Amino acid sequence: IGERKALVEGFGSSTAPFVAFNDDFIAKNGFEADISVRQASDAQCALVGFLSGLKNRFDRNLKLKVNSFSIRSGETLSGSVDGLGGRNLALLLVADDGYVYDLRSYLRREADPPTFGLKVQIAGKAGSRPTIVIAVASAKPLAGMPGTRPVTADALFSRLATEAKQSNEPLGIALKYFR
């Protein structure tokens, strides 16, 4: 947020709340916010709820970069995570069906900053589908991580919310959306 400029990135399953937010923003501030709406599937909303529940109790110094906003099945998703500050790193992919995949095995930690790369295989119907990659930095390893088998976003982000509330350390959070 700057003088007469506000950049907002929002995640939700519909655009109506963002239209209402912008109307309220204009009424209170006298100018329109630049809102980037990232439409998430209903199954991904557990992630949105988790982020909302942190109530700004997270460290924004973590930076996640990905190679593209648009990635198709068979293409490579690559990127880097900066701002770790010696903390543990979890890297997750939240698919449009609500399953969360642990991407830590794709991390190259010897690089500074750590990088990752994997070929994306999207099963089912053709077309772009909302996918979110989230990096989570923590002082101690998070016990609730999915491991080698995918877990539902509801189950995972409920566990992570509990861990975050019990910890006195803020989590580093960064995420990117692609279709």
Side-chain angles (χ1 to χ4, degrees):
I1 295 179
E3 188 173 324
R4 307 223 23 99
K5 183 172 184 157
L7 302 173
V8 178
E9 183 177 32
F11 292 81
S13 61
S14 75
T15 58
F18 300 102
V19 171
F21 170 82
N22 196 46
D23 291 344
D24 288 345
F25 187 90
I26 292 168
K28 290 178 183 169
N29 298 289
F31 66 97
E32 188 170 359
D34 182 2
I35 302 173
S36 296
V37 177
R38 307 294 185 225
Q39 195 139 3
S41 69
D42 288 339
Q44 292 170 318
C45 283
L47 167 60
V48 177
F50 167 71
L51 295 172
S52 176
L54 291 177
K55 304 222 185 288
N56 291 324
R57 274 203 54 221
F58 58 92
D59 170 13
R60 295 176 191 266
N61 292 320
L62 196 65
K63 303 295 181 216
L64 174 62
K65 296 177 183 168
V66 296
N67 60 321
S68 178
F69 175 75
S70 178
I71 299 174
R72 304 283 183 234
S73 187
E75 294 180 340
T76 299
L77 167 65
S78 62
S80 62
V81 183
D82 204 359
L84 275 175
R87 295 175 290 178
N88 292 284
L89 174 62
L91 188 65
L92 306 168
L93 183 142
V94 185
D96 71 315
D97 63 1
Y99 278 92
V100 181
Y101 299 84
D102 191 334
L103 302 182
R104 289 178 292 179
S105 65
Y106 296 98
L107 279 169
R108 291 183 288 282
R109 295 175 191 271
E110 66 279 0
D112 187 22
T115 61
F116 61 93
L118 67 140
K119 188 177 273 193
V120 175
Q121 297 297 329
I122 302 171
K125 64 182 180 186
S128 64
R129 297 160 76 179
T131 305
I132 302 167
V133 176
I134 178 171
V136 182
S138 58
K140 297 185 295 187
L142 296 168
M145 289 293 105
T148 59
R149 294 188 177 261
V151 297
T152 65
D154 285 336
L156 176 67
F157 292 113
S158 174
R159 288 194 309 258
L160 290 182
T162 299
E163 278 189 70
K165 285 178 186 173
Q166 293 172 346
S167 171
N168 290 329
E169 299 289 327
L171 297 174
I173 302 281
L175 51 103
K176 291 293 180 186
Y177 174 96
F178 66 92
R179 293 184 78 88

